[in-house]
Amino acid sequence: GLGNKFIISIQGLVYLCGKKHYTEGLPEKIIRRYTIRDLIKRNNIQRGREQFVQRGQDEIEALKRTRHIIGRTDWDRAASQMFNPDAIYHFCNESLRDIFYKNKWDIRNMERYSIFVSQCSYPIKGFHYVLEALPEVIKRHPNVRVYTTGKNLLNLSKKDRLLITSYQKYLIELIDKYNLRGHISFLGNLNETEMCTQYLKANVFVSASTIENSPNSLGEAMLMGCPVVASDVGGVKNMINHNTEGFVYQSSAPYMLAYYVNCIFEDDNLAIQFSENARKHASVTHNRIVNMETLLNIYKNVIEKPITID
């Protein structure tokens, strides 16, 4: 074993992500397809999923051999119980980066009918669901705009077209299928200041992931008070209360995502209410002083407690 003085803090678990959630909402032929880049790298969506599962074997091995696990959600507690029922589970929330404590969303400064999605690079982030939800939003709000990070998939050079992943190719196909080119902006890679700007600018922040533990992006949006619509996956329900701090919806139901985005677009009072309540909740979850004291206490307990071997 890793001995008594070892603690594992769970951020996410690639094994469960790969095994259960990696390809949710993707057609079978897309999962199996290879682009030229995929062939060269020997890595398509299906292989990506298999790699998560393989890498996850080490995770499980480590979890089985430790006596102490730190987590913060029902999801990571369930996972630690599943893989190591004998381990002691310690609860400790996470703290976020400085900038997100210092800025506050203001409805007067937002770009109306804009949606921010923090990333779209691989299937777990659920950007394909965002694209499927958009036509329903466009019906009511034809000038909606989605901002996300990463490579601009809308005007690729011939060379770049050869270098995209199968998932990126699928996103382009969905954008064209639903006629969304005028509604999407790819922002490249953003640093934390630029991320902060996007949360402050957004009318709604969307987390459409097929699985998360306690997503930092959701915490960041809530802490600054950007109104949130989040898929009910993993530990999300430990972070946000539906209907008072934002909306939570079934991840595989993009029509519900569209419905809730429309609700916020159409009701500024609701947006402001969500904003204030989310900030309150997140400032408790991400309270740096409390989280540091909790963590130090966990360390103290582990160091001082003699372990009895049964």
Side-chain angles (χ1 to χ4, degrees):
L2 295 174
N4 302 332
K5 306 300 185 202
F6 245 93
I7 311 181
I8 290 177
S9 179
I10 298 180
Q11 193 176 359
L13 290 164
V14 292
Y15 177 80
L16 284 178
C17 294
K19 195 85 182 143
K20 300 284 182 202
H21 311 284
Y22 194 88
T23 55
E24 185 195 301
L26 297 176
E28 196 57 43
K29 69 173 200 292
I30 302 297
I31 295 170
R32 297 181 181 283
R33 173 174 77 182
Y34 282 86
T35 60
I36 290 174
R37 176 224 167 256
D38 290 343
L39 282 170
I40 295 166
K41 298 240 181 192
R42 299 208 175 108
N43 187 4
N44 66 349
I45 294 174
Q46 186 165 335
R47 286 297 310 272
R49 178 187 170 190
E50 286 162 7
Q51 281 168 2
F52 263 49
V53 174
Q54 280 162 359
R55 278 165 44 202
Q57 303 300 333
D58 294 337
E59 263 177 359
I60 293 166
E61 200 45 48
L63 284 175
K64 281 181 175 161
R65 294 164 71 167
T66 186
R67 289 276 314 190
H68 298 276
I69 293 172
I70 296 175
R72 63 203 60 86
T73 67
D74 292 352
W75 185 79
D76 61 30
R77 191 184 276 255
S80 52
Q81 248 175 45
M82 196 161 46
F83 297 128
N84 184 349
D86 301 325
I88 300 161
Y89 180 90
H90 304 270
F91 177 86
C92 184
N93 274 317
E94 285 183 312
S95 295
L96 302 173
R97 293 171 293 183
D98 249 4
I99 195 165
F100 303 111
Y101 294 84
K102 292 179 176 158
N103 289 277
K104 181 172 186 278
W105 181 87
D106 184 333
I107 199 155
R108 292 166 302 192
N109 301 336
M110 71 174 186
E111 179 186 325
R112 198 164 280 284
Y113 309 132
S114 69
I115 297 170
F116 180 47
V117 181
S118 63
Q119 48 173 305
C120 66
S121 55
Y122 64 120
I124 283 174
K125 295 300 169 185
F127 198 66
H128 49 292
Y129 280 141
V130 176
L131 297 177
E132 284 174 35
L134 258 188
E136 284 304 311
V137 180
I138 291 169
K139 278 182 197 169
R140 295 175 75 94
H141 304 285
N143 45 359
V144 60
R145 188 154 205 94
V146 174
Y147 294 89
T148 189
T149 57
K151 183 200 274 276
N152 184 359
L153 302 177
L154 297 179
N155 52 359
L156 295 169
S157 66
K158 277 208 173 75
K159 182 181 159 220
D160 279 345
R161 220 167 292 155
L162 300 177
L163 297 177
I164 57 172
T165 65
S166 200
Y167 183 62
Q168 288 172 320
K169 184 175 179 182
Y170 181 56
L171 294 180
I172 296 167
E173 287 163 357
L174 286 177
I175 288 168
D176 288 335
K177 174 183 173 184
Y178 296 122
N179 209 2
L180 302 174
R181 280 182 179 258
H183 297 277
I184 308 223
S185 298
F186 292 95
L187 303 166
N189 295 329
L190 305 185
N191 62 30
E192 62 188 87
T193 314
E194 294 164 325
M195 285 293 284
C196 178
T197 304
Q198 292 304 319
Y199 291 119
L200 296 175
K201 200 174 97 167
N203 198 159
V204 178
F205 168 76
V206 166
S207 172
S209 302
T210 61
I211 188 64
E212 291 280 359
N213 182 20
S214 56
N216 279 352
S217 58
L218 177 60
E220 290 161 1
M222 289 177 69
L223 194 56
M224 295 203 293
C226 177
V228 166
V229 180
S231 54
D232 180 9
V233 296
V236 164
K237 62 163 71 71
N238 293 106
M239 295 179 72
I240 187 165
N241 291 305
H242 174 66
N243 227 350
T244 57
E245 298 161 358
F247 286 125
V248 177
Y249 71 96
Q250 180 186 333
S251 66
S252 58
Y255 53 91
M256 290 307 297
L257 168 57
Y259 170 74
Y260 285 135
V261 166
N262 284 333
C263 286
I264 293 174
F265 279 175
E266 287 159 29
D267 188 343
D268 280 1
N269 289 331
L270 180 73
I272 291 166
Q273 203 55 58
F274 281 174
S275 175
E276 288 168 2
N277 293 342
R279 284 192 78 219
K280 275 192 201 115
H281 189 163
S283 65
V284 175
T285 309
H286 305 292
N287 183 317
R288 289 174 147 186
I289 295 167
V290 172
N291 294 347
M292 188 163 83
E293 283 173 359
T294 306
L295 188 62
L296 290 174
N297 281 330
I298 293 170
Y299 288 161
K300 274 196 199 112
N301 285 337
V302 171
I303 291 164
E304 286 161 13
K305 270 209 173 71
I307 300 279
T308 50
I309 307 295
D310 301 332

